[in-house]
Amino acid sequence: MSDSSRPVHVIGGGPGGLATAAALREHGIRSLVLERSDAVGASWRGHYDRLRLHTTRRWSALPGLPIPRSYGRWVARDDLVRYLEEYARHHELEVATGVEVSRIDRADGGSGGWLLRANGGRLLPAPVVVVATGYNHTPRVPDWPGRDSYRGELLHAREYRNPRPYQGRDVLVVGTGNTGTEIALDLARGGAARVRLAVRTPPHIVRRSTLGWPAQAGGIAVRRLPTRLVDGMARGMARVAVPDLAAYGLPRPRTGLYSRVRQGAIPVQDTGFVKAVRKRLIEPVAAVESFDGPRVALADGSTITPDVVIAATGYRRGLEELVGHLGVLDERGLPRVGGRHTLPEAPGLYFTGFTNPISGMLRELAIDARRIARSIARTTAG
């Protein structure tokens, strides 16, 4: 870590943090990226093996460096990690690994700025801080009644890598987002004896692309249209493009697609899930209510005894300890403002990557990075 000057401190060495650092460099502003793990892109390294981006290569690139065409239209996890490593090298970013910031405080002395408290007792002064710790920060497993009594194997989706350890076993996947449905599909194709998917709220399902037109393009096109209009358009498209799975235990959602997006639920992109459900390789079942020894009680009153339960139940943002005392979070624990905006009571404290947009997370991170950099440049010039 360089001792010269007081750089902008960027917390998080994922796509959002790296993109912001590169955009700042274009404005001649030095930054220091603080990453708690031993390498950039830690969150992506931890995802399951079969993961591919649901956003296209073109609309997933960060500022100043395209993703290589050789990676294909739908970039694989390992290729994205390789791209992030090259991105940091290409832009000659200063990245300090192994530095975990636990708390951000206002600097004393009335001169403004921030004081970062990091592991090893380090106190890092910074004039400006960008928090880019990521949407998928802390795995969340519901506190189901009797969970600790479960005699099978219970793990969060973050711990799942591939189907090999589950061949010949009865597996219940909990959660119907893209992660849950893809892990269920991976298990069904990879030799699990039985795969069930616990459904609390049926998801919207869209085709990843239609006649070459990616779902992401549609998301970009409609993201600023009225919610009711998009809900109606999506309902009509679903009737044409996606089979009705109600007979298989997965009815169409009652709430509109864009209404659900506004609530934080991104549609499931079909990469083979629909076909697997129709072939009964994946069995939708009711939501999990509780555990009792080897048994799992479901919301419809039935009981099952899977060997393994994989909780694809999402993540917490994990911001409360870091900035909760500053009054910058809402009741959900999310930043009250993001992107180029800062709060009057917290000038110079920026947040990026804490929404899950229908137009694609990486695309929006790239846009945010440029806007944050321009905002910081204007402040510095002033």
Side-chain angles (χ1 to χ4, degrees):
M1 291 169 55
S2 172
D3 294 326
S4 62
S5 75
R6 294 180 64 201
V8 172
H9 282 51
V10 180
I11 305 176
L18 298 179
T20 301
L24 286 167
R25 195 172 188 274
E26 290 181 357
H27 287 272
I29 299 172
R30 180 174 166 241
S31 66
L32 176 62
V33 178
L34 306 176
E35 169 53 48
R36 65 177 178 171
S37 73
D38 60 359
V40 300
S43 177
W44 288 95
R45 295 173 191 272
H47 286 307
Y48 48 94
D49 294 349
R50 83 180 300 270
L51 176 66
R52 287 184 177 270
L53 293 182
H54 291 159
T55 54
T56 65
R57 181 188 70 251
R58 173 189 173 192
W59 284 323
S60 300
L62 303 179
L65 185 68
I67 297 176
R69 291 179 61 86
S70 60
Y71 289 0
R73 192 181 199 192
W74 312 105
V75 179
R77 181 202 63 183
D78 290 349
D79 286 334
L80 181 65
V81 170
R82 191 174 302 116
Y83 168 73
L84 294 176
E85 293 172 339
E86 177 56 30
Y87 190 84
R89 288 191 294 267
H90 176 82
H91 289 291
E92 300 179 335
L93 303 181
E94 273 192 86
V95 180
T97 59
V99 179
E100 183 171 6
V101 178
S102 58
R103 183 179 170 100
I104 301 173
D105 287 310
R106 293 180 177 86
D108 295 329
S111 59
W114 303 93
L115 186 66
L116 280 56
R117 302 181 186 276
N119 55 339
R122 282 173 281 201
L123 299 176
L124 309 175
V128 176
V129 176
V130 181
V131 180
T133 49
Y135 193 82
N136 296 339
H137 185 271
T138 305
R140 185 185 72 86
V141 178
D143 189 18
W144 289 297
R147 188 184 72 181
D148 293 341
S149 73
Y150 180 54
R151 296 178 192 168
E153 181 181 353
L154 172 62
L155 65 150
H156 189 270
R158 183 65 177 268
E159 303 170 69
Y160 177 87
R161 292 294 175 270
N162 58 65
R164 284 194 296 274
Y166 311 101
Q167 291 176 353
R169 304 176 75 185
D170 183 336
V171 185
L172 172 67
V173 180
V174 183
T176 53
N178 279 292
T179 297
T181 55
E182 287 210 349
I183 288 176
L185 179 61
D186 201 29
L187 289 163
R189 290 175 171 174
R194 187 174 190 179
V195 180
R196 285 176 282 207
L197 181 68
V199 181
R200 184 168 298 279
T201 304
H204 284 276
I205 302 173
V206 299
R207 298 181 65 176
R208 187 167 66 173
S209 65
T210 304
L211 298 177
W213 178 262
Q216 183 187 10
I220 294 170
V222 306
R223 67 186 305 261
R224 299 193 184 281
L225 294 178
T227 300
R228 290 181 63 184
L229 175 61
V230 180
D231 282 350
M233 294 166 57
R235 192 174 298 113
M237 180 65 73
R239 291 195 187 102
V240 174
V242 180
D244 186 356
L245 301 177
Y248 302 90
L250 202 60
R252 296 191 190 276
R254 294 181 179 180
T255 306
L257 183 149
Y258 206 28
S259 294
R260 290 286 305 280
V261 169
R262 297 289 193 188
Q263 299 167 3
I266 294 297
V268 167
Q269 290 198 15
D270 180 28
T271 58
F273 172 73
V274 169
K275 185 176 181 180
V277 170
R278 297 181 76 186
K279 287 187 172 184
R280 302 193 184 277
L281 300 175
I282 299 173
E283 306 169 47
V285 296
V288 171
E289 288 292 301
S290 63
F291 289 77
D292 182 13
R295 294 179 292 276
V296 179
L298 304 180
D300 61 1
S302 63
T303 301
I304 59 176
T305 55
D307 301 317
V308 183
V309 175
I310 300 175
T313 46
Y315 295 78
R316 294 187 294 106
R317 311 294 86 82
L319 293 172
E320 288 81 4
E321 291 186 5
L322 186 67
V323 296
H325 56 289
L326 298 174
V328 296
L329 303 180
D330 64 18
E331 65 280 358
R332 301 167 297 170
L334 295 173
R336 289 164 51 197
V337 297
R340 67 179 182 272
H341 302 290
T342 63
L343 292 168
E345 61 268 34
L349 181 61
Y350 295 84
F351 295 88
T352 183
F354 295 98
T355 61
N356 196 12
I358 194 173
S359 50
M361 174 70 80
L362 292 173
R363 177 182 181 272
E364 297 304 319
L365 287 175
I367 293 172
D368 263 3
R370 296 186 178 98
R371 290 174 175 172
I372 291 171
R374 285 197 295 267
S375 177
I376 294 173
R378 284 195 298 268
T379 304
T380 303

